[in-house]
Amino acid sequence: MKPARLALAHNLIVGYGLHRYVETYVQRRATEDEMTEFHSEDYIEFLKRVTPDNVNVFSKFLERFNLGSEDCPVFEGMFDFCRLSCGGSIEGARKICGKSDIAINWAGGLHHAKKFEASGFCYTNDIVLGILQLLRVYPRVLYIDIDVHHGDGVQEAFYQTDRVMTVSFHRYDGQFFPGTGSLDEIGAKAGKHYAVNVPLQQYIDDESYAYVFRHVMTNVMQTFQPGAVVLQCGADSLAGDRIGSFNLNVRGHGACVEFMKSFRVPMLVVGGGGYTIRNVARAWTYETSVLVGVEVPDELPANEYYLHFGPDYRLHAPLADSRLQNANSRAYLDQLIAHIAEQLRFVKGAPSVQMQEIPPDLNGGPGLSANDEDWEVDQAEDRRPDSRPADEASSEVSGSVGVRWRREKESRVRNPRELYDTENDQDRDGDGDGDGDGDGDRGASGSGGGSIPTRSGRSGLVPSATAAVAAASTKGVLADGDDENNENDEEDKDEEEGRGGGGDDDDDDGDGDAEFDFDNDERGEYGSDADDSDGDDDDDDDDDDDDDDGGGGEEDDMDVDADDEELGG
């Protein structure tokens, strides 16, 4: 994980001139507030304070946060390194949320870091922070990991949500670090079946890797249908890596990037592991050329670190060792593909999320730009004066008066089923009350509009939107000159006049058209004011507000709230 490999990759990319085909940005440092969107505040505070000089002072916290070990040592500039890594992935995700199709952060990909601790050379998880940013715009995000190690930190963070699917191709034998990533790890609660693991045996070659990758990812893309993809390109899966045990060449590793690019889905590409730094630079340079669509020659260009690529000085140096026997048979790979296909069968299409306003960025910026046209339209709508009649607007605000006014209006809404003639009357009693008992009552509840059974077993109002559609359809029938229907209409009119209504009681504004209360268009599902038998005048607007606030909130808490236990801790 030494920064030297980033220097080699950067110089090789610039040497090939690939930087001219992309927009380059200076990597900024993530703020502490941005990092605590996932990590705990005390852990970030510890990373900020501890240094090699005062590590003894914080000795009692080292075990708690898993620092000071061989794979997670305390080094000079550690917190600054973490901020740069996280800042690059967050900014890359923001570019994807904007107008960019592909964003690259080779300094990211630290997929082992947990919410409360470091793990496997990873101190902060820039991938999770980037995905959290993408979730502010995209309903579904797919995470793919082709590192030789299992992406346990990212899987744990989104283990209980269906908005993020994690797919990891890694070596697994129960002992290889980190020891997770079996086929049995499929997610929990809402995220069950949304964690996909492809455990591979050692020494897998280019052909076998491409075979299983293409089959699994084709099935995943067709089933999950993500709005954005995050691809972790850990280069320790290359042959000859000091820690890894796969047998892939640079082209075999880059074939995965090329295949995911073919789906034309916005994609954030990050780095990851890789401990033979000259091969890491080769792989990331080649994959950069694949992402920008430029072919580069095999001969390496002159650069500051040219001597590190000897003795062949080629981009596609033969890395695979033909003497190593691939432990992944075709039958084993087919078994993996079939097992994952069965798991994905339980993913019932792409999950949906509630439509809502885009939340602000992690840095507190607005979700919508003030320069956007939609923002201006919204502001213009806010400046429009109240167009309701003065008495209506005042009664709406006047507490119990507004409640009584609204209930009186509801009581005047007819049951849409009673807008038909007696012959076609659905309740067959001809009394016009819609309850089928023949007594002519408008219902025991007194709420008007008739009641229908709901899934909860209670009775609720027929939605006003349905009444409006039925009324519009009936109006069209009457306009065709149906004498019988016209007679019924005259009878209804006489009945209204007999009650002293002076015409259509639903015409509140005097324009001759029936009006319906769309504030209650969901009460057919959850009950009505008629169920309020205790006699208090609770304002139904409070209930509506609760419903609006509740929709989708559990998913947001699960994915975004840094303190939520459902992130996996």
Side-chain angles (χ1 to χ4, degrees), residues 19 85 90 97 145 208-209 225 276 279 324 327 383 493 518:
H19 63 289
S85 175
I90 292 173
C97 293
D145 194 315
S208 298
Y209 200 90
Q225 300 177 17
T276 304
N279 293 338
L324 300 177
R383 289 193 294 266
K493 183 175 180 181
F518 285 88

Side-chain angles (χ1 to χ4, degrees), residues 149-384:
H149 301 98
H150 177 232
D152 57 332
V154 182
Q155 174 182 284
E156 181 179 299
F158 301 106
Y159 203 63
Q160 299 181 2
T161 177
D162 60 354
R163 292 190 62 192
V164 178
M165 177 174 283
T166 59
V167 184
S168 179
F169 298 81
H170 53 272
R171 179 185 172 185
Y172 176 80
D173 57 9
Q175 298 179 348
F176 190 73
F177 183 86
T180 58
S182 67
L183 284 171
D184 298 331
E185 299 175 20
I186 60 174
K189 297 184 178 180
K192 190 174 183 180
H193 305 298
Y194 288 86
V196 179
N197 287 293
V198 187
L200 302 171
Q201 305 301 317
Q202 60 183 354
Y203 306 139
I204 188 170
D205 55 24
D206 294 347
E207 181 180 358
S208 298
Y209 200 90
Y211 176 77
V212 67
F213 186 88
R214 287 176 176 270
H215 279 81
V216 170
M217 293 315 305
T218 299
N219 200 351
V220 167
M221 294 295 289
Q222 292 176 350
T223 303
F224 187 60
Q225 300 177 17
V229 173
V230 178
L231 178 59
Q232 197 263 20
C233 299
D236 50 7
S237 51
L238 293 172
D241 190 83
R242 295 171 59 186
I243 295 180
S245 56
F246 283 174
N247 201 23
L248 302 179
N249 287 302
V250 170
R251 290 189 186 276
H253 195 269
C256 300
V257 179
E258 186 174 9
F259 183 72
M260 293 310 305
K261 181 189 175 185
S262 65
F263 287 98
R264 298 183 180 277
V265 176
M267 184 165 58
L268 171 64
V269 182
V270 295
Y275 308 98
T276 304
I277 60 176
R278 62 179 180 273
N279 293 338
V280 174
R282 284 186 171 106
W284 291 350
T285 300
Y286 173 68
E287 286 161 6
T288 301
S289 70
V290 170
L291 292 170
V292 302
V294 176
E295 293 185 7
V296 294
D298 190 24
E299 184 179 354
L300 295 179
N303 62 86
E304 184 179 354
Y305 300 96
Y306 184 78
L307 296 179
H308 285 73
F309 299 97
D312 43 31
Y313 304 103
R314 294 167 54 193
L315 181 63
H316 297 287
L319 305 180
D321 190 346
S322 59
R323 296 171 298 178
L324 300 177
Q325 183 177 0
N326 183 6
N328 301 269
S329 64
R330 181 56 63 91
Y332 175 72
L333 298 179
D334 288 337
Q335 183 181 0
L336 288 178
I337 295 171
H339 186 280
I340 293 170
E342 178 66 16
Q343 174 183 337
L344 294 175
R345 191 173 64 84
F346 292 94
V347 179
K348 299 179 181 179
S352 61
V353 296
Q354 181 182 5
M355 296 293 293
Q356 57 187 353
E357 181 183 355
I358 298 176
D361 289 334
L362 290 177
N363 63 354
L368 291 175
S369 171
N371 296 326
D372 292 343
E373 182 179 355
D374 293 341
W375 183 268
E376 295 177 355
V377 172
D378 184 65
Q379 287 182 332
E381 291 289 339
D382 292 341
R383 289 193 294 266
R384 291 180 58 185

Side-chain angles (χ1 to χ4, degrees), residues 528-543:
S528 68
D529 290 341
D531 297 330
D532 187 9
S533 59
D534 57 1
D536 57 17
D537 293 331
D538 295 336
D539 194 339
D540 293 328
D541 288 342
D542 296 338
D543 296 336

